Amino acid sequence: MEIRMDFLNCLDHDTSMKILRCLEDPSDLVRASYVSRSWRDFVIANGLCKQLCLSMFPHLLRVDCVIEPSCVMEKASEVGCSKFVEWETLKREHKAYAFLAQACLSFPFDDCIKDAISASSTDNYPEESIRNTLQKGDRVGRRPSYWSSKGQRKAAVPETLVYKLVADICVITEINIQPFQAYFQQGSPIYSAESVRFHLGHPKCPMDDTLGEPLDNCADDKFIWTYSSPEFPMAQERSLQNFKLPEPVVCIGGILQIELLRRVQRQEMDGLFYICVAHVQVKGRPLSSAFGVEILGPSGKFVLKTLSSAPRSSLPPSLPEDDALYHGVPLQGLADLEQVVNGLGVEVLDEDWNSEDDEAADEMDDELAF
């Protein structure tokens, strides 16, 4: 007869934590929580999914709390103990952070720009509006399509373009920009910037879904920037240029600012420096089908809302819809914990598997059936 053992029951708390923290894939940690009731309780009670998610995406440290708008929790007085509320909160966070971490890695890539909000200046409005940058290429029919700044005598004067993203929570990986080549001017000059930098954040006050016409001179004090990228050099070329962020960034609040630094092209007819952009594209993973956010004032903290009504098709394929998927079958994809234990030099007694854990595993509900 095969002897099974639950080595977590044979180890002290710190060693068990050290072992399970070696799991670097959120789906592995979820699968580990399905091994038995005791493993599930250990993972939830110690917030391991939350810890993993925050280590992967530090911007989520600004989460103040997690709520499920469609779920009404029983009053603590009705269950007789405040520990019930604490345990329900831990379970809710476990489910939310496990799903969120996997969603940030596996939701499909898409174009993340919804609309243009403002430009720091526009030379000829609306013919050269920032909204033209939402169109692919540099022409619409026979008409040139681009945004142009106002002319400046000093090349060092920067310009900014601000956009609304498709969701209040997006994982942004890259931004693509195509400078405009004025093919109708002598010499076909290209009005690029020398370099570019990106800022992600949220508005200080709620914004309407219908933004109306883009504005000029939209002040920075309307937004809080929670991420600023390194400065990237921009080539004076007509091509769609790719600027990949050093690592994926979770944008909370759905606002992107493109900062165009230093002008390189002077217009022959007036001797002023301009920057012109034909097209802007933002690539990432919108999470609006599964999560919402509520910004808590200027503090930058926010409430993470898990949308229980999200369609199953939006869920990451590596997270189970039914806990039965992991009962009595091999845990495919789960890191070999025995190797982890051996690597730590931990000695585990050869004891029988706790039958109560085995029975509890068969009785587990579908609280993690995302």
Side-chain angles (χ1 to χ4, degrees), residues 12 20 30 103 116 135 156 191 208 238 246 264 290 303 307 313 342 363:
D12 61 83
L20 290 178
V30 170
Q135 303 291 330
Y191 291 94
D208 295 333
R238 182 189 175 192
V264 298
V303 175
L307 307 180
S313 60
N342 293 337
E363 296 173 357

Side-chain angles (χ1 to χ4, degrees), residues 20-161:
L20 290 178
R21 280 174 175 161
C22 290
L23 299 178
E24 298 179 346
D25 188 316
S27 59
D28 283 348
L29 200 50
V30 170
R31 291 186 178 102
S33 70
Y34 274 80
V35 170
S36 70
R37 172 73 66 177
S38 63
W39 281 42
R40 171 179 174 270
D41 289 351
F42 188 91
V43 169
I44 293 175
N46 290 282
L48 289 175
C49 282
K50 179 177 180 179
Q51 291 182 38
L52 177 59
C53 185
L54 297 182
S55 67
M56 294 168 60
F57 302 100
H59 286 85
L60 295 172
L61 286 166
R62 295 188 297 112
V63 174
D64 185 72
C65 63
V66 176
I67 64 171
E68 290 183 78
S70 61
C71 178
V72 180
M73 185 185 295
E74 297 179 71
K75 294 180 180 179
S77 59
E78 294 178 356
V79 296
C81 182
S82 62
K83 288 186 177 181
F84 172 84
V85 176
E86 181 182 355
W87 180 245
E88 288 299 307
T89 299
L90 288 171
K91 289 196 297 183
R92 185 167 59 251
E93 289 187 345
H94 169 68
K95 181 165 66 173
Y97 281 104
F99 185 13
L100 180 57
Q102 194 64 19
C104 288
L105 297 174
S106 63
F107 268 38
F109 276 100
D110 205 349
D111 192 343
C112 290
I113 286 186
K114 179 180 180 180
D115 205 352
I117 295 177
S118 68
S120 51
S121 73
T122 302
D123 192 32
N124 295 302
Y125 185 85
E127 290 80 8
E128 297 174 337
S129 166
I130 181 180
R131 191 157 281 167
N132 293 334
T133 65
L134 303 177
Q135 303 291 330
K136 291 184 178 180
D138 57 7
R139 301 190 191 192
V140 176
R142 296 183 179 181
R143 178 180 64 83
S145 175
Y146 62 97
W147 161 81
S148 174
S149 71
K150 291 186 180 296
Q152 296 287 344
R153 297 188 182 278
K154 296 182 179 179
V157 177
E159 296 284 349
T160 58
L161 304 176

Side-chain angles (χ1 to χ4, degrees), residues 96-362:
Y97 281 104
F99 185 13
L100 180 57
Q102 194 64 19
C104 288
L105 297 174
S106 63
F107 268 38
F109 276 100
D110 205 349
D111 192 343
C112 290
I113 286 186
K114 179 180 180 180
D115 205 352
I117 295 177
S118 68
S120 51
S121 73
T122 302
D123 192 32
N124 295 302
Y125 185 85
E127 290 80 8
E128 297 174 337
S129 166
I130 181 180
R131 191 157 281 167
N132 293 334
T133 65
L134 303 177
Q135 303 291 330
K136 291 184 178 180
D138 57 7
R139 301 190 191 192
V140 176
R142 296 183 179 181
R143 178 180 64 83
S145 175
Y146 62 97
W147 161 81
S148 174
S149 71
K150 291 186 180 296
Q152 296 287 344
R153 297 188 182 278
K154 296 182 179 179
V157 177
E159 296 284 349
T160 58
L161 304 176
V162 180
Y163 296 89
K164 172 68 176 172
L165 303 182
V166 294
D168 285 338
I169 177 168
C170 296
V171 182
I172 304 302
T173 56
E174 61 188 67
I175 295 98
N176 303 318
I177 302 175
Q178 179 181 338
F180 179 68
Q181 182 174 22
Y183 54 86
F184 46 81
Q185 293 183 359
Q186 185 176 356
S188 299
I190 299 174
Y191 291 94
S192 68
E194 183 179 302
S195 62
V196 63
R197 184 163 50 216
F198 308 105
H199 306 277
L200 295 167
H202 59 85
K204 288 185 176 180
C205 300
M207 299 180 66
D208 295 333
D209 289 336
T210 304
L211 297 177
E213 289 300 313
L215 303 173
D216 270 4
N217 299 314
C218 188
D220 269 357
D221 60 9
K222 292 184 178 180
F223 304 100
I224 294 177
W225 306 117
T226 56
Y227 170 81
S228 295
S229 77
E231 189 173 321
F232 298 91
M234 177 179 281
Q236 194 174 8
E237 299 175 357
R238 182 189 175 192
S239 61
L240 186 65
Q241 300 177 36
N242 176 260
F243 304 98
K244 189 170 184 178
L245 300 180
E247 58 186 10
V249 177
V250 179
C251 176
I252 306 298
I255 302 295
L256 164 71
Q257 183 190 73
I258 297 175
E259 187 179 10
L260 300 159
L261 304 169
R262 295 177 294 279
R263 302 155 190 255
V264 298
Q265 183 64 50
R266 193 191 301 267
Q267 183 172 251
E268 185 176 339
M269 67 179 65
D270 61 8
L272 301 179
F273 288 96
Y274 291 81
I275 299 177
C276 300
V277 173
H279 181 49
V280 171
Q281 186 182 69
V282 178
K283 287 294 186 180
R285 304 181 193 271
L287 306 185
S288 56
S289 62
F291 296 97
V293 298
E294 179 183 343
I295 306 297
L296 300 176
S299 68
K301 294 281 188 178
F302 66 94
V303 175
L304 179 66
K305 300 178 181 179
T306 59
L307 307 180
S308 303
S309 58
R312 294 288 181 182
S313 60
S314 71
L315 305 184
S318 58
L319 290 178
E321 284 194 32
D322 193 317
D323 57 1
L325 292 175
Y326 300 104
H327 292 165
V329 298
L331 302 181
Q332 298 179 1
L334 180 61
D336 191 340
L337 290 179
E338 184 177 357
Q339 291 182 4
V340 174
V341 174
N342 293 337
L344 291 172
V346 176
E347 209 174 296
V348 181
L349 298 176
D350 191 14
E351 297 181 355
D352 290 342
W353 177 272
N354 189 332
S355 60
E356 291 182 2
D357 282 340
D358 206 21
E359 292 173 4
D362 293 332

